[in-house]
Amino acid sequence: MEKLIVHGGQRLTGSVQISGSKNSALPILAATLLTAERCTIRRVPDLSDTNYMLRILGELGADFERASGVATISATDIHPDAPYDLVRKMRASICVLGPLTGRLKKARVSLPGGCVIGDRPVDLHLRGLEALGAKITVDGGDILVDASEKGLTGARINLMGKHGSTVLGTDNVMMAATLARGTTIIDGAAAEPEVKDLADFLIAMGARIEGAGTNRITIEGVEELHGVDHTVIPDRIEAGTFLAAGAMLGDRVTLNRVQPAHLQVVLDELQKCGFPLEIGTESITISANPDARGFDLTTQTYPGFPTDMQAQFCALACAVRDASSLTETIFPQRFMHIAEMKRMGADMDLQGATARVRGGKPLKGARVMASDLRASAALVLAGLLASGATEIHRLYHIDRGYEHIDDKLAGLGAQLERAKDI
Ligand code: EPZ
C-alpha cells in the first residue's frame, strides 16, 4: 500500500487540466454492453475504478482495449453473470445491471456492500427494472434479474427515494428501457450532468430519449443499438476539488477543460464567500482571499450543492476566518473526514448531519487515514493548508477517483510525495 506525504504551507499557482468524469465514464462503459458493435470512448480517466469496470466488461465476455484515455469495447458475445470478486470491489459495478437486462433480458450481479459513507441500497434500481417486467430475486447475495419470458415493456416509473433521486438507479432503468417495447417515463429521475452524458451516449447509439438532465426522462424502446464514438464530459467533482484548493492557497489557479455550467452552484457559493473567480467557456481561475466569508451549505441532488463536494468544503472552511456549516442530506453519515481533520487541529464538530466549522485556526500536519474517495481528497487539501507534514494512509481510496492528483497538485507548486506505507 502507499501513503501520500503532503508538506503544507505552499502557495498554489498555475494551471491544471481536468480529466474526464469518473462518474460519467463508469455508466457509459457499462452501456457498451447494449450493443454487439464496437464503441470508442474518449477522455476515460486512468483510475482504478475505470480499470475495474473494464475488467468486469471483459469477464462478461466483451473485448476491450485502452490506450491513453481512449477505451474501445466490443461486447459482441456476452453472458449475464458479473464476477463477484470484481463487483464487490466497486459499488458502481451495479450499473451493469441495466444494460445486461436490456440486451440479454437476464443479469446476475452481487448486491453491493455498504461503504463508509453509509448504507448503499439498490431498492430503487430493482423497483424500476421490475416495473419494466423483469422478475427480481436475491439468491446468495446476488441479484438475479430475469425478463427472458416476456421481455421488457415500457412503463411509467417513479424513482424518487427518501434521500431524493438516484443517479445510478436512473442510469440502470434508462439503459434497460432503451431496448424495451414501448414507452418508459421515469419520474423523479436524477438530473446530474453525468446522467445527461450517458443519455447523449445512448442517443448516439440510436436510442430515443428525451428529457435527460431533467427530473422526467422519456425513453421510446428500439430494436437494437449500434456502436458509437463518444467523448466523456469533464469531471466536475475533480474540478470542484481543485477550486477548493485554489480558494485555500491559490494565487490565480486556472482549471482548463472544464464545463463551468456543471459547477454553477459551487461557483455561486465561492463567489458569495468573496473568492475572486474568472469564468471562461472551458476554464475557471480562482484565488484565495484572506477576508473570505464563511458559508452555510446543505447538500442536495443536482443542481443543488453536490454531496461529493461536502468533504472538500469542510477543508476549505478551515481556511476561512469565519464560521461555516455543512449539512449532508444525501449520505447523512458522510463525515469520516471530520475526526481526521480534528486530529490536525481543526475546530469543527458534528451535530447530527451538520458539520460546524470555526475556521481560521492553524492546522498542524498529522498522520491521518483516508476512508472514502472524497474524504481522502479533503485530507489532502487540509494537508496543503497545514504547517508541517501530513501523512495520508490508504492512498488507494484517492487513486480510485482522482487521476494523478499528486502530479497535478505538484504542477501547481504543492510539495508532496508518495511513499511505501509499511
Ligand atoms: C452516484 O452514486 C455517485 N457515484 C456518487 O459519487 C454520488 O455521491 C451519488 O451518485 C450522489 O450524487 C457514481 O456516479 C459512480 P444515488 P449512486 O443512488 O448512484 C439512496 C463519488 O464520490 N438510494 O444517487 O450510487 C442512497 O442511499 C461517489 O464519486 C436508495 O435509497 O448514489 C443515497 O442516500 C460516491 N435506494 C441517495 O439515494 C436506491 O436504490 C443517492 O444515492 C439507490 C439510492
Side-chain angles (χ1 to χ4, degrees):
M1 277 206 275
E2 285 188 310
K3 62 186 174 185
L4 189 64
I5 303 165
V6 182
H7 303 280
Q10 306 298 324
R11 300 297 290 175
L12 303 178
T13 187
S15 62
V16 59
Q17 180 156 307
I18 297 302
S19 299
S21 162
K22 164 181 85 81
N23 289 352
S24 192
L26 290 173
I28 285 177
L29 287 170
T32 62
L33 294 167
L34 286 163
T35 179
E37 295 182 13
R38 171 195 290 258
C39 292
T40 300
I41 301 159
R42 302 175 191 280
R43 273 188 93 181
V44 176
D46 178 14
L47 306 167
S48 46
D49 272 14
T50 49
N51 291 331
Y52 274 135
M53 181 57 79
L54 285 168
R55 285 174 56 192
I56 291 168
L57 300 183
E59 293 284 319
L60 289 167
D63 296 320
F64 69 89
E65 279 169 24
R66 184 214 187 107
S68 61
V70 181
T72 49
I73 298 106
S74 301
T76 311
D77 182 11
I78 57 172
H79 65 79
D81 296 349
Y84 168 72
D85 62 328
L86 284 173
V87 168
R88 70 180 175 80
K89 290 186 177 136
M90 180 180 65
R91 192 191 170 283
S93 324
I94 192 72
C95 63
V96 301
L97 202 61
L100 286 173
T101 304
R103 171 94 180 275
L104 301 179
K105 308 301 184 270
K106 273 195 155 191
R108 173 191 280 265
V109 181
S110 89
L111 265 171
C115 64
V116 289
I117 67 176
D119 182 23
R120 305 295 294 273
V122 292
D123 57 303
L124 300 172
H125 299 239
L126 304 184
R127 176 203 293 176
L129 295 177
E130 232 164 13
L132 294 175
K135 266 211 266 4
I136 310 271
T137 49
V138 176
D139 170 43
D142 282 351
I143 303 165
L144 305 181
V145 182
D146 187 347
S148 51
E149 201 183 313
K150 297 199 208 104
L152 297 174
T153 308
R156 182 148 199 170
I157 305 163
N158 190 315
L159 285 185
M160 192 56 86
K162 63 179 186 305
H163 292 285
S165 48
T166 163
V167 172
L168 292 183
T170 301
D171 291 350
N172 263 331
V173 175
M174 179 166 67
M175 287 188 278
T178 58
L179 294 176
R181 278 186 305 276
T183 306
T184 297
I185 297 174
I186 305 174
D187 291 312
E192 273 69 3
E194 294 77 22
V195 175
K196 172 81 170 59
D197 198 25
L198 171 63
D200 290 343
F201 178 77
L202 295 168
I203 291 165
M205 292 173 85
R208 293 169 57 194
I209 301 172
E210 284 181 7
T214 75
N215 295 127
R216 172 172 296 165
I217 302 177
T218 303
I219 304 110
E220 293 294 337
V222 295
E223 282 301 310
E224 62 178 12
L225 297 174
H226 53 74
V228 71
D229 187 320
H230 180 84
T231 300
V232 165
I233 58 172
D235 194 313
R236 63 191 169 101
I237 305 301
E238 182 195 27
T241 305
F242 278 95
L243 284 174
M248 293 164 81
L249 292 154
D251 295 325
R252 293 184 61 74
V253 167
T254 297
L255 281 59
N256 290 320
R257 294 191 74 183
V258 290
Q259 286 197 16
H262 291 166
L263 276 160
Q264 196 52 56
V265 69
V266 173
L267 294 171
D268 293 346
E269 286 301 332
L270 291 167
Q271 247 153 3
K272 268 195 286 186
C273 294
F275 293 106
L277 280 164
E278 293 160 39
I279 300 169
T281 43
E282 288 197 342
S283 68
I284 304 170
T285 298
I286 189 165
S287 293
N289 171 6
D291 304 320
R293 292 176 294 283
F295 46 79
D296 294 303
L297 285 173
T298 298
T299 63
Q300 302 287 351
T301 53
Y302 195 86
F305 189 85
T307 173
D308 291 350
M309 280 299 304
Q310 181 256 110
Q312 299 92 311
F313 264 58
C314 282
L316 171 55
C318 296
V320 171
R321 287 199 299 264
D322 198 350
S324 296
S325 75
L326 297 101
T327 299
E328 175 60 65
T329 69
I330 309 295
F331 295 109
Q333 299 163 46
R334 193 175 199 170
F335 286 110
M336 297 291 284
H337 44 285
I338 299 289
E340 295 304 307
M341 288 180 193
K342 288 172 80 167
R343 298 183 59 251
M344 297 171 73
D347 184 359
M348 53 173 62
D349 54 54
L350 207 44
Q351 291 153 16
T354 298
R356 295 197 187 285
V357 185
R358 287 150 304 271
K361 203 175 150 220
L363 300 188
K364 198 163 169 358
R367 281 185 296 181
V368 292
M369 196 68 79
S371 56
D372 71 279
L373 174 54
R374 306 305 173 182
S376 318
L379 293 174
V380 175
L381 298 181
L384 293 170
L385 186 67
S387 61
T390 296
E391 282 193 12
I392 298 160
H393 296 261
R394 296 185 184 168
L395 200 49
Y396 59 88
H397 285 292
I398 290 194
D399 291 336
R400 284 192 44 212
Y402 285 91
E403 191 176 43
H404 313 316
I405 188 169
D406 38 345
D407 297 341
K408 290 183 177 181
L409 285 169
L412 293 172
Q415 275 186 8
L416 68 178
E417 72 263 358
R418 284 175 187 255
K420 268 244 162 303
D421 195 1
I422 33 187

